[in-house]
Amino acid sequence: MPSARPSLSPGVTPRHSRILGVGGYRPRRVVPNSEVIEAIDSSDEWIQERSGIKSRRWASEDETIIAMSAAAARDAMAMAGITPDQLGTVLVATVTWMYNTPAAAPVLAAELGATNAAAFDISAACAGYCHGIAIASDLVKGGTSDYVLVVGVERLSDFTDPTDRGTAFIFGDGAGAAIVGPSETPGIGPTVWGADGTRWDAIQQREPWTEVVSAGKEKPAIVMQGQAVFRWAVWSMAPVAQQAIDAAGITIGDLDAFIPHQANMRIIDSMIKTLKLPEGIPVARDIAETANTSAASIPLATERMLREGQAPHGGLALQIGFGAGLSYAAQVVVLP
Ligand code: UT7
């Protein structure tokens, strides 16, 4: 007879999670539409009308992925009231870190002094931050980590072809961060997420790294089938947002803020209409001054809404990210 196997320790008692702090870093250099229009034969009016973008921030040399992430992370830790040694995991969502290996997260963890943290990157483009919040929430609830740093960071200007009419005016740079930690009450609703890889070429790096030089390019650029992505976002993302509201066990009228990925002001307006978002619920419109910063857009918009008093601390916010993949993720969160 084999002896009875010992049962494994359950780790911690199951617990809830919530976002305890957010932070953001916006590069110093403001780039108005007037700076990008000549190379794409466009106009300030066209860009504002078709996308809602007035200006964007582009990072200078010293505003690296790590430097921007560290600045955002320090603010988020200060709001959460924790120190770097308390971090159990560091997650970085980005598609513009220039190294395939190592990931940005361990470099960031070292920069912050997060010596006790596991660290890895998430590649889910504009949905990366919401993927990060989903993973962080489960890590905390399952007892793997007490505190998780989630950073969404991009230097999209490094991957932008200034002569490409479909993207040259769209992208911006920046970093946003959140600390997820334990909570006595549920603070992060169930995540609704997915990916349609059959449409992998709708937003993509123009050529793989191995072919950049043979294609006669100095660096790769991200290209986009703008209209196709626009239609997908408008038709498919409102139902995903509604599923996240339903999964959280609330109604849309319970929301204190709607914080969608900042891809295009017209996509935001269309989602508001389809969701029948009640008037008076504040909506993130950071895209006007920040443009589309991919993984950074939702945490940057969240930080701004809290700082400017547009959304209440402790309020309920619906966040939804969507983009290359085509991947998406949405959840309702309690604001820190
Ligand atoms: O973050 C990840 C998710 N990304 C998104 O969700 C982005 C989704 N897509 C979009 O936001 C929009 O497709 C864009 C803002 C990128 C483009 O706007 P659009 O309304 O879809 O433009 P379009 O490509 O349908 O072009 C409309 C017209 C065309 O002229 P005709 O054929 O109607 O005479 C284009 O040639 O505008 C012309 N056009 C431009 N004109 C001035 C296209 N690009 C430009 C330009 N400046 N940059």
Side-chain angles (χ1 to χ4, degrees):
M1 283 285 286
S3 59
R5 289 199 184 91
S7 60
L8 296 177
S9 159
V12 295
T13 313
R15 55 188 176 177
H16 301 295
S17 62
R18 66 171 288 177
I19 297 175
L20 300 169
V22 291
Y25 181 84
R26 295 163 191 273
R28 296 183 298 272
R29 188 171 159 227
V30 178
V31 179
N33 287 342
S34 55
E35 268 195 53
V36 300
I37 54 179
E38 200 183 316
I40 52 173
D41 186 22
S42 189
S43 65
D44 180 32
E45 296 73 41
W46 189 93
I47 294 172
Q48 287 203 41
E49 193 194 305
R50 305 307 287 177
S51 70
I53 297 168
K54 295 179 182 159
S55 60
R56 72 282 295 139
R57 304 286 185 111
W58 281 353
S60 302
E61 214 171 311
D62 61 312
E63 293 169 313
T64 61
I65 290 279
I66 300 301
M68 293 195 294
S69 299
R74 288 189 181 108
D75 284 354
M77 283 189 285
M79 189 191 277
I82 66 154
T83 47
D85 56 298
Q86 291 178 273
L87 291 173
T89 308
V90 171
L91 302 178
V92 174
T94 185
V95 290
T96 51
W97 171 245
M98 286 288 182
Y99 293 83
N100 280 115
T101 197
V107 185
L108 174 63
E111 170 71 21
L112 292 172
T115 46
N116 302 313
F120 55 96
D121 289 2
I122 299 168
S123 181
C126 307
Y129 172 75
C130 292
H131 278 65
I133 293 297
I135 296 167
S137 177
D138 285 354
L139 288 173
V140 169
K141 286 199 281 193
T144 305
S145 295
D146 286 337
Y147 296 99
V148 180
L149 166 64
V150 180
V151 173
V153 58
E154 306 289 1
R155 278 180 60 114
L156 282 158
S157 57
D158 288 340
F159 283 80
T160 301
D161 176 350
T163 65
D164 177 21
R165 291 186 106 195
T167 55
F169 63 94
I170 280 259
F171 294 136
D173 302 339
I179 300 294
V180 175
S183 169
E184 283 174 11
T185 51
I188 298 175
T191 295
V192 178
W193 61 358
D196 178 5
T198 64
R199 308 180 71 188
W200 68 274
D201 57 350
I203 310 173
Q204 65 167 126
Q205 188 172 311
R206 189 170 43 199
E207 57 275 313
W209 286 103
T210 45
E211 288 167 23
V212 173
V213 174
S214 59
K217 311 284 182 193
E218 268 179 34
K219 56 181 188 175
I222 293 172
V223 289
M224 179 169 68
Q225 297 166 15
Q227 276 192 23
V229 178
F230 190 95
R231 277 196 298 270
W232 169 73
V234 161
W235 289 110
S236 307
M237 290 303 102
V240 169
Q242 185 60 54
Q243 284 170 39
I245 293 170
D246 296 342
I250 62 165
T251 64
I252 194 158
D254 295 324
L255 290 174
D256 297 296
F258 177 41
I259 313 180
H261 168 48
Q262 305 289 292
N264 184 318
M265 199 72 91
R266 289 187 297 136
I267 294 176
I268 297 170
D269 286 330
S270 153
M271 287 175 85
I272 291 170
K273 231 167 132 185
T274 313
L275 283 168
K276 299 192 175 62
L277 189 78
E279 243 177 80
I281 293 179
V283 177
R285 293 185 180 280
D286 190 36
I287 186 168
E289 293 82 25
T290 313
N292 178 344
T293 56
S294 189
S297 86
I298 292 173
L300 272 175
T302 305
E303 185 276 334
R304 179 174 175 181
M305 288 184 95
L306 288 172
R307 180 167 37 84
E308 294 183 350
Q310 296 166 40
H313 293 283
L316 290 178
L318 167 64
Q319 52 184 31
I320 176 166
F322 49 87
L326 294 171
S327 57
Y328 57 88
Q331 63 263 118
V332 175
V333 300
V334 175
L335 292 167

